[in-house]
Amino acid sequence: MTASGPLLLLVEDEPQMRRFLRVALEGGGYRYLEAATGQEGLAMAAQHRPDLILLDLGLPDMDGLDLMTRLREWARTPVIILSARGQEADKIGALDVGADDYLTKPFGTGELLARIRVALRHADTGDVQDPVFSLGRWRVDLARRQVLVEGREIHLTPIEYRLFTTLIRHAGKVVTQRQLLKEVWGGVAGAQPLYLRVYMAQLRHKLEEDPSRPRYLRTEPGVGYRLRTED
Amino acid sequence: MTASGPLLLLVEDEPQMRRFLRVALEGGGYRYLEAATGQEGLAMAAQHRPDLILLDLGLPDMDGLDLMTRLREWARTPVIILSARGQEADKIGALDVGADDYLTKPFGTGELLARIRVALRHADTGDVQDPVFSLGRWRVDLARRQVLVEGREIHLTPIEYRLFTTLIRHAGKVVTQRQLLKEVWGGVAGAQPLYLRVYMAQLRHKLEEDPSRPRYLRTEPGVGYRLRTED
DNA sequence: GGAAGACGTTAAGAAAGCGTTAGGAAAACT
DNA sequence: AGTTTTCCTAACGCTTTCTTAACGTCTTCC
């Protein structure tokens, strides 16, 4: 399971503001890089190609608008300006040299994150690939609830699908019978280990190349089952 | 590309604010349309396809966020929210349902124009989103609310259409019964899975070549339905 | 090497879910 | 107000899915 989130670049010199932003960005689940000067910011933008840049206008070494201009010579990375100055002329200037948004301090983390989402949404190229779990001949698109074996779509019943995805969630690890019964049948009293045998057999028939000698859907005798991920 | 500039749609009920905006937009050299209510705004958006929408949240006839949501079902026209409410929660809500910017009154004409420029910049650098969904023999013009099957126009009732476009919006993915009921019937208490069966049958009769063996409008037993996009 | 426990396999009946039809109620339109 | 369209609802039969039982196979341990 791949697909790490967007990468943000934070260009900000004041330590206090940096701390605030760190908390905000981490709260939003973003990865981020930090630069304390304009020079450094430009260099990091070039090197790491972040998905979005948060730029403080009050940098010590260069004017924020200059930085914007230089950046726009080669990149269209969305930029959100953070500034203590709320004068209309400042905003207009920044937006017109290519900034995508302008936030005046102080601002809330919620609004910041919402505006980051907007900017990233714009940058979206359109078709977003769903996270896909793949293993051997299998491709499982959890968002689509779709299982492909060598490109062919395989239909799984609700219980089969829940059982399979439960194993996927714990891929590589042994899942005990008790746990599987609980997660798939949802704590219903009547759930018996026999069910697991029946449905594991069905899964193997639908998914394994040689169901009688399963390669991935392995039994751990006396304990439970596990989805083998290595070879 | 014609000689005239971008067309803006202004959805605003207060006469005073309208006068202010007229002056601002004319100063910026824009053509614009005006609507005083949400209904009117949606209709004009569909008919005239403006390049950008300025939307006041405090409309008399419908909630501004509802309007956003309805609009985003078929169009990605940039929307700038104008609001007297500056609460962070309001901003976050509006931005997350698809607004592109949020301006709190009072604001200056200069900043408004600058933010309009930013929004329009996004629209033309980015991909022009095709408001037509096509699949197999089907062509669905989401803006015109028109469904063609092999070029023939097929009439769908409101519920049929909402059900169909909901599936289109999640094309390829399984949409659970619960979710469909919520999105189509709008969280009304009485909505039952039976409704889905009835309307899916009607959709299949109107759209599928062989309604008894549907190719695209697929059932996922025990889960929901999905619009199959591949083969 | 045999017995016991654990697991795999198959099939069939039961249950749940789904498709279909139609008629009356409600809403929209004229 | 009358007409037409749309929506809701119930009933019935069909299909899919789940459950359950019986039996075969494998492993382990004495």
Coordinates of all heavy atoms in Angstrom, one line a residue, chain B residues 14 48 72 125 132 140 156 165 176 184 186 189 220:
Chain B
E14 N -28.7 41.6 -1.9 CA -28.7 43.0 -1.4 C -28.4 44.0 -2.5 O -27.3 44.0 -3.1 CB -27.7 43.2 -0.2 CG -27.9 42.3 0.9 CD -26.7 42.3 1.9 OE1 -26.1 43.4 2.0 OE2 -26.3 41.3 2.4
H48 N -25.7 30.1 -19.1 CA -24.7 31.0 -19.7 C -23.3 30.5 -19.5 O -22.4 31.1 -20.1 CB -24.9 32.4 -19.1 CG -26.2 33.0 -19.5 ND1 -26.6 33.5 -20.7 CD2 -27.3 33.2 -18.7 CE1 -27.8 33.9 -20.7 NE2 -28.3 33.8 -19.5
R72 N -21.5 22.0 -8.0 CA -20.4 21.2 -8.2 C -20.7 19.8 -8.8 O -19.8 19.0 -9.1 CB -19.6 21.0 -6.9 CG -18.7 22.2 -6.6 CD -17.4 22.2 -7.5 NE -16.6 23.4 -7.3 CZ -16.7 24.5 -8.0 NH1 -17.6 24.6 -8.9 NH2 -15.9 25.5 -7.8
T125 N -5.3 28.0 -16.9 CA -4.1 27.2 -17.0 C -4.5 25.7 -16.8 O -3.9 24.9 -17.4 CB -3.1 27.6 -15.9 OG1 -3.7 27.4 -14.6 CG2 -2.6 29.0 -16.1
V132 N -19.3 16.7 -19.9 CA -20.0 15.6 -20.5 C -19.4 14.3 -20.1 O -18.2 14.1 -20.2 CB -20.0 15.7 -22.0 CG1 -20.7 14.5 -22.6 CG2 -20.8 17.0 -22.4
V140 N -23.8 11.9 -21.3 CA -24.6 12.6 -20.3 C -24.0 14.0 -20.2 O -22.9 14.2 -19.8 CB -24.5 11.9 -18.9 CG1 -25.4 12.7 -17.9 CG2 -24.9 10.5 -19.0
L156 N -35.3 11.3 -18.1 CA -35.2 10.8 -16.8 C -36.0 11.6 -15.8 O -35.9 12.9 -15.9 CB -33.8 10.6 -16.3 CG -32.9 9.7 -17.1 CD1 -31.5 9.6 -16.4 CD2 -33.5 8.3 -17.3
T165 N -26.7 10.2 -11.8 CA -25.6 11.1 -11.7 C -24.8 10.8 -10.4 O -23.6 11.0 -10.4 CB -26.0 12.6 -11.7 OG1 -27.0 12.8 -10.7 CG2 -26.5 13.0 -13.1
T176 N -22.6 2.5 -1.6 CA -23.5 1.7 -0.7 C -24.9 2.2 -0.8 O -25.2 3.3 -1.2 CB -23.0 1.8 0.7 OG1 -23.2 3.1 1.2 CG2 -21.6 1.3 0.9
V184 N -29.6 10.7 -2.8 CA -30.7 10.9 -3.7 C -31.9 11.3 -3.0 O -32.6 12.2 -3.5 CB -31.0 9.5 -4.5 CG1 -32.2 9.7 -5.4 CG2 -29.8 9.1 -5.3
G186 N -31.9 12.5 0.1 CA -31.5 13.6 1.0 C -31.8 13.4 2.5 O -32.4 14.2 3.1
A189 N -36.1 10.4 6.3 CA -36.2 9.2 7.2 C -36.7 8.0 6.5 O -36.1 6.9 6.5 CB -37.0 9.5 8.4
E220 N -24.2 -4.8 -6.5 CA -23.2 -5.5 -5.6 C -24.1 -6.1 -4.5 O -24.4 -5.3 -3.5 CB -22.1 -4.6 -5.1 CG -21.2 -4.1 -6.2 CD -20.3 -5.1 -6.7 OE1 -19.9 -6.1 -5.9 OE2 -19.8 -5.0 -7.8

